[in-house]
Structures are given as structure tokens and as C-alpha cells.
Amino acid sequence: MTKRSLSITQRRGSVDPSADAALAKMGYTSELPRNLSMLSVLGLSFAIMAVPFGLSTTFYITLTDGQSVTILWGWVLVSLISLCIAASLAEICAVYPTAGGVYYWSAMLSTREYAPIASWVTGWLTLVGNWTVTLSINFSGGQLVLSAITLWDEHFVPNEWQTVLMFWAVMLVCMLVNIFGVKWLDALNKVCIYWTAASVVIIMVTLLAMADKRRSGEFVFAHYDASQSGWPEGWAFFVGLLQAAYVLTGYGMVAAMCEEVQNPEREVPKAIVLSVAAAGVTGLVYLIPILFVLPDVTTLLKVDNGQPIGLIFKTVTGSAGGGFGLLFLILGILFFAGTGALTAASRCTYAFARDGAIPGSRLWKKVDKRFDVPFWAIILSTLVDCLLGLIYFGSSAAFNSFTGVATICLSASYGMPILVSILRGRKAVKNSGFSLGKFGYAINITMVAWICLAIVLFCMPVSLPVEAGSMNYASVVFAGFAAISVAWYFIRGRKSFTGPPVPQDVDPAVVVPGMAAVDSNGERGDVEGQVEETTDKEKA
């Protein structure tokens, strides 16, 4: 296996060689500085989910598909489901803490025979999910920035070019921060937690204090109206779960940061689960006050750009300035969310390219030592998202497609290693430092069943009847990336791709990070010994 000449003890930012040695036993050389703390990873996960921002930009979904009951109880339901999925992933992450995340886990949990195809499918689902989550966050962010203009000019309707150019500007800012501001990412992730918490409290107090009219408790907790959706009432509730499911998807993406954290087998699983729990509580604190002061729903659904949150703030505060003041807090969360999502997407791209699974992998896997980041993986992730944004010219409902495909891909990628773990008797995770214990089977099986349902649900349009401009093209985008994945597999993958380094067929109960790994050519080797040998030569 080719290894960079830098010693793990000489690499900047790493103060725990045991984490690098454990990574080496899993078949990889540590190339990224381990300068992120558990709080930072928690902040990153919290930033990617961006609860107030994500809920604000997708209000049109739940206002159409059920209103209060879907908004509030749909959030509670999906929060509990997401917490169980997060715990299932954390259980596996505690055993295999590597930047490959679910892609690597699927391979390790499979037999050697099926490891390549399992990791290929999971890897592409993860990659597309990471790209489209970043895309949806920043695209809705561009829309939200433009919606601020309507606070003063109600007749302003941004055209396609204005929307796409604003989206590109947001992407550019996030890219520049990821390249030139990497040394501040740890601080940014931590600041995100405090900014989000403060924003939610400020918005809650302001709305409740300034509202002239308030809704009843019955409206907030029991009102259900799906008449705007065109779907049967019961089904509309499930279609409306896209809002909560989209917001609560990014937690698994932070597994890609394992190689930049000290003690990742302990810290990253904790961050994954705690971020979902914190997001669930934050969402309730944010949603309930808004429902108490919610203006006329019909008026909100007529907002041309599909972003009614600015109008809600303006109506309640009684002024454009007051509305923008609250909207500015949400836009601040956009900055953290967009930057964090691109960080995770670039690390996912880097990890997948490292095993030769993406066209042009030799370029995308390079780590630029000037900035200590996978520079070209950041560039690729940015370019892919910018090109996908052009779909908006063909469909005004493009954002709905982006949220749908992001939720579908990430949910499916989370389900793959959980499913493989179930099929192999959960032996590999029985000694996990984050074990689900006797409830493991029940939780895992229930979560796989939910994910199968979610894939169907989130291909559905928000409302009926459907026209070309309002169609949910999530399935089309999903099929497009699937075609690229299949084509590349037959062009090169089936000949040269063997998946990540995994042990030969052994009982999964003993497949732990301490075992010798198999390199990309399928040959066994004592990686730990190789690292020690390299270090001894450098000392000499």
C-alpha cells in the first residue's frame, strides 16, 4: 500500500499517535490533522442539520400537508426515529472510526466476497447524499437571502438567474471558508452551537412578546388541515414528514470527520447521538412559538419564492426592519450550515476517491499540505453542486427535488451498514463501546423498515395535481447518479475496485480495528508493522 512519507508522529495537529495507529490497522495512513474536539464535531453535526434554518426554508411543505399536526408531531416522530438511527450508526462508528463512514462500515461488516459491491453502492449513496444536502442547504439559503428583499418590496419576485447566481455566491463563500479558513473550522463549529441557541431564544421571546394575535393551544397541538395538498388526509401527513426528515439527516455525515478527531471511537459516536437529541429539542422550542403566532396560512402559501418565514417575522413584528432582524439570525445559521455541509461532503469525496471509486480519483484524493485540506475534493463538491443548481431553470420546484434526493440517498446509505449488521447477526458490534445491547435487533430492524418507507415517501410531490414545473424530480436526480455509478462500475469498478481495505473472510465477531488489513490490491499485510518500519527508517 502506498503511504505518504510523513510520519504519523511528525504530522501537524496530531497529538495522539494511537488514533493514527488504529487507522493504520484499518488500512489507511493518516493525512489530515487531528485538531477537532468532540464539541466541534457536535457543532458540525448541529450546523449541518441547522434546525431553525432547515425548518424555516421547508415550511411550505408542512403548511401544505397538514399544518400544525404535521409540523409539530411529525417533528417529534421523526426526531425519535432519527435518534434510533443515529444510535445504530454510533454503535458501528465506535468500532470502525474512519472517514469512509457508512461506506467503509458496509464493507467491513460484509464478507470479503460482497465487500466491494456493498461499499460501492453505499459509497455512491453517501456521496450523492452529501453533495445534495450541501446543495439544498445553500440553494435554499440563496432563496432566503433574496426573500429578504420582499420584506420591503412585496412585489419583488426573483427570476431564475437571480436565484441561481445568489446560490452560486453562497457556494463560493462556503468554498473559500473551507479552503482558507480551515484553521478556524473548530471555532466556527463551536460558535454555531451558541449562535443557534441564542437565535432560537431571541426569536421565541420576540415573537411571543410582539404578536398582536395568538393562536389557541388547540390549533398549535391539534389542528390538522391537508386540504391544500390534494392528497388523502392520512397520506398527506406522511408526505409532510419530508420537512423533519430532511432537517434531521446530516448527523451521519460527520463520520467523515473521524480522521480529524482525537479518540474518534469515543468522541464521534457521542457527537452523532447528542446532536440529534439537541436538534430535536431545539426544533420544538423553535416551532411551538411560531405556531402560536402563525399568520393566515393561505397568505403564507402564496409567497412566490416559497419562503414564507420572512413574511411570518414581518407580520408578527409589524415592520420590515423587525422581520429582517429575525431573518438575519436565520441567515447566520445558513453560514454555519453551508460551510459545515461542504466540509463533510469534501471529506466524503476524499475518502471515496482514496479507494478509486470516483472518476479522476487520483486528483480528488490529494491533500494539499499548504492548507491541510483535500483541496480538489472541495473544488469537485462545489462544482457538482453549482451544476446541479441549473436544474432550477427547468423546474421552479427544484429545491423540493434537492431535499428529496438528499434525504433518500442519506437515509438509504445509513440503512445499508445497519442491514448488513443485522444479516450477519450483529456480531461485529457486540463489543462496541456504544452498544445498543438487547434492544439492538429491534431498533435496527425497525429503522431499516422506516428507511424503506421513507425512500417511497420522499419521491412524492408535496401536493396534487402535478405539473411539469411542480414535479418532484428527486427520483430523476437519483436515477441520474445511479446511472453514472453503474456505468463507472462496468467501465472500471468491476476490474479494479476491491473496496476499502478489509480483512479476509473471518467471523465478524473478531473483525476489529486491531486486525491486519488488506490493501487495495487484495493482499494481506501487517499495516501496523509497516507504519512502525517507516517510522524507524525516518528516525535513522
Side-chain angles (χ1 to χ4, degrees), residues 13-38:
S14 180
V15 296
D16 183 9
S18 65
D20 292 343
L23 180 65
K25 292 175 183 178
M26 287 186 281
Y28 297 112
T29 299
S30 185
E31 298 180 285
L32 299 169
R34 294 186 182 274
N35 52 16
L36 299 182
S37 64
M38 190 281 286

Side-chain angles (χ1 to χ4, degrees), residues 56 64 68 78 130 152 155 159 175 183 188 202 228 234 295 355 368 403 414 418 444 447 463 537:
S56 297
T64 302
S68 298
V78 176
N130 274 259
W152 286 274
H155 301 291
N159 59 34
M175 183 189 75
K183 62 183 178 181
L188 282 175
I202 291 171
Q228 300 285 336
D355 291 313
D368 191 314
T403 58
Y414 297 163
I418 297 174
N444 288 171
M447 293 309 98
S463 60
K537 288 181 179 179

Side-chain angles (χ1 to χ4, degrees), residues 28 98-101 103 256 259 345-358 364-365 374 377:
Y28 297 112
T98 172
Y103 148 73
E259 294 175 29
S346 64
R347 300 315 190 265
C348 175
T349 304
Y350 156 76
F352 204 32
R354 185 168 57 181
D355 291 313
I358 307 175
W364 315 129
K365 70 178 181 180

Side-chain angles (χ1 to χ4, degrees), residues 486-497:
V486 171
W488 186 243
Y489 182 78
F490 282 102
I491 292 172
R492 183 172 180 180
R494 63 175 179 171
K495 299 176 183 178
S496 59
F497 181 76

